[in-house]
Amino acid sequence: MSSTNLRIRMNPFEREPRFVRRKVARALKRTAHSGQFILGREVESFEREWSEFNGSQYSVGVGNGLDALTIGLRALGIGPGDEVITTPMTAFATILAIKTVGAEPVLADIEWDTALMSIDDAQSKITPRTRAIVFVHLYGRAGNMAAWQQLAAEAGIHLVEDCAQAHGAAIGEQRVGTFGSFGAFSFYPTKNLGALGDGGLLVTNDEDLASEARLLRNYGQRSRYEHVRWGYNSRLDEIQAAVLRVKLPYLESNNRRRREIADSYRRALTAHPTISVLEAPKLLESHVNHLFVVRTENRKGLMEFLARHSVDSLSHYPISANLQPPMTKRATALPMPYSELHSEQCVSLPISPWLRNSEVDRVCELLAQYRG
Ligand SMILES: *Cc1c(COP(=O)(O)O)cnc(C)c1O
């Protein structure tokens, strides 16, 4: 088959259907000619459309996912002297956001079966200084939010959701981002909904939090030249909002395609001698398969085998955040045995919605053959 001669890549962006790319081109042109490039009609419309899609009352478009978390935490009044609990198995941006507002990132280890933050370990890390938990819907899997809501309520702290990998994931009918004080999304190009550059957004059902975030993203400005906060410059660009409006209607079908690919990989890996998959979601939880992550003791061996057969792979994440240099210097950086072991074993397989069936079959065949 000819596809065996071609690399199977993580993100073959150029394969997005031509009719979508044509609509994107029209949106770019429309925006370029609009004379309105910052906080105009496109951002306003996308915020409204995202709120409707996500079942959130308010959406605030910002510069990127890191800023969505940072601005949300600032809007909650979290800062120096406060502690915020999160997972070491995440994009480092989650931890940077906590540090950026001046709070102390406190890590809780993952649960082995899912690689999501362990609620028991998180509970054990709560102190009188803890103000919030940032739960990450890692790899696209919605967490057990009822349990996290209960923990946060009992402790009298905020629950925050990092939804940067989980656009459209839900518990039953309720989308992620709506279970806590706010949810943060990233539209980095590789995410399930991606812009043509950086973009981010926070969702909330709290009107005050939404208006505080609107101030903060725009120099802390209440009305023109009146600055009531030490704000930021972090706005979703009109041009990115225009692109995202084109792509949003295809998010769910893309997520369904990701699910199909994940199901194929799961079938191919049933009872594999050396490669294991993470636990499948439970009945109500959804998984939008941002990444398909497997574990194997000889990670290098598997990645090299795939590369030899022209299949790209990555590791998310090869360094547990507690072992990143800025973290190791902190008193709060304890060993994270499960996260560290996961970081040594994890391999992300290609799961772009643009993969062809022949490519998915090829990866499945290779995995079945592999004896590393
Ligand atoms: C991508 C990502 C972020 C950061 O988003 P940016 O838009 O790149 O700033 C934060 N958290 C998680 C879990 C991510 O995957």
Side-chain angles (χ1 to χ4, degrees):
M1 198 185 279
S2 67
S3 66
T4 54
N5 301 321
L6 295 169
R7 266 176 65 218
I8 299 178
R9 286 163 304 144
M10 299 296 286
N11 291 296
F13 290 120
E14 75 290 349
R15 294 216 198 136
E16 183 150 46
R18 190 164 314 173
F19 69 94
V20 179
R21 283 186 288 145
R22 262 202 296 269
K23 285 192 200 175
V24 167
R26 279 201 294 276
L28 291 174
K29 192 166 168 192
R30 177 181 79 230
T31 314
H33 292 183
S34 70
Q36 173 87 65
F37 308 117
I38 301 281
L39 295 183
R41 295 223 317 256
E42 300 291 342
V43 169
E44 225 170 78
S45 303
F46 178 64
E47 288 176 342
R48 198 170 49 244
E49 288 156 14
W50 184 264
S51 291
E52 193 168 318
F53 169 80
N54 207 63
S56 298
Q57 272 180 56
Y58 307 98
S59 287
V60 182
V62 297
N64 52 63
L66 167 59
D67 288 357
L69 284 167
T70 305
I71 287 172
L73 290 171
R74 263 286 301 278
L76 291 176
I78 293 171
D82 297 334
E83 293 176 357
V84 177
I85 297 171
T86 195
T87 171
M89 187 44 58
T90 183
F92 201 63
T94 313
I95 290 141
L96 279 176
I98 298 167
K99 203 65 194 86
T100 302
V101 300
E104 183 64 27
V106 174
L107 302 178
D109 205 351
I110 59 170
E111 53 175 32
W112 185 246
D113 293 347
T114 61
L116 297 174
M117 180 161 56
S118 152
I119 196 160
D120 294 333
D121 204 36
Q123 183 162 25
S124 78
K125 299 291 165 65
I126 295 175
T127 74
R129 288 172 178 250
T130 308
R131 295 282 316 281
I133 291 175
V134 179
F135 182 83
V136 181
H137 300 283
L138 190 71
Y139 306 148
R141 181 189 182 135
N144 176 359
M145 298 322 283
W148 287 99
Q149 283 176 317
Q150 194 187 340
L151 176 62
E154 280 168 11
I157 61 180
H158 290 285
L159 176 61
V160 171
E161 296 174 78
D162 181 338
C163 309
Q165 303 188 353
H167 310 71
I171 311 278
E173 301 286 296
Q174 190 179 347
R175 304 266 194 210
V176 298
T178 59
F179 292 92
S181 299
F182 74 91
F185 289 89
S186 162
F187 303 115
Y188 185 85
T190 60
K191 309 290 188 183
N192 290 36
L193 180 62
L196 299 181
D198 281 309
L201 179 143
L202 71 87
V203 291
T204 181
N205 291 332
D206 177 338
E207 187 179 358
D208 293 338
L209 195 144
S211 50
E212 186 68 16
R214 282 180 206 285
L215 287 181
L216 288 171
R217 73 173 167 181
N218 198 24
Y219 321 120
Q221 189 169 254
R222 182 158 56 199
S223 60
R224 188 174 288 192
Y225 309 130
E226 185 202 1
H227 299 271
V228 294
R229 299 282 187 278
W230 297 111
Y232 306 87
N233 173 357
S234 183
R235 300 162 300 217
L236 180 63
D237 280 328
E238 281 287 285
I239 209 153
Q240 301 300 354
V243 170
L244 292 165
R245 291 183 68 199
V246 170
K247 294 190 178 192
L248 175 55
Y250 308 105
L251 172 59
E252 295 215 85
S253 57
N254 288 341
N255 283 347
R256 280 195 293 276
R257 175 63 181 152
R258 288 174 184 271
R259 159 75 62 83
E260 259 174 32
I261 300 170
D263 288 345
S264 300
Y265 288 163
R266 277 184 180 280
R267 277 195 300 275
L269 288 166
T270 309
H272 194 283
T274 56
I275 304 173
S276 55
V277 296
L278 302 182
E279 184 194 84
K282 307 211 168 59
L283 204 54
L284 274 181
E285 302 163 5
S286 74
H287 195 319
V288 294
N289 299 287
H290 173 60
L291 295 168
F292 192 89
V293 174
V294 299
R295 291 190 184 118
T296 187
E297 281 182 25
N298 179 7
R299 185 237 307 273
K300 193 156 166 275
L302 176 57
M303 292 180 79
E304 283 174 3
F305 168 81
L306 292 171
R308 259 199 318 281
H309 292 91
S310 300
V311 176
D312 290 354
S313 62
L314 289 170
S315 277
H316 296 88
Y317 292 89
I319 305 175
S320 182
N322 57 304
L323 300 180
Q324 297 286 4
M327 283 301 291
T328 54
K329 300 189 185 81
R330 316 196 68 77
T332 47
L334 300 169
M336 298 279 139
Y338 287 114
S339 180
E340 289 171 34
L341 190 59
H342 180 75
S343 75
E344 290 163 14
Q345 298 192 352
C346 59
V347 178
S348 306
L349 303 175
I351 193 165
S352 156
W354 324 129
L355 287 185
R356 304 193 170 108
N357 285 335
S358 59
E359 293 173 321
V360 177
D361 293 346
R362 174 79 183 137
V363 176
C364 289
E365 272 168 40
L366 287 169
L367 293 171
Q369 276 169 29
Y370 178 73
R371 292 288 177 273

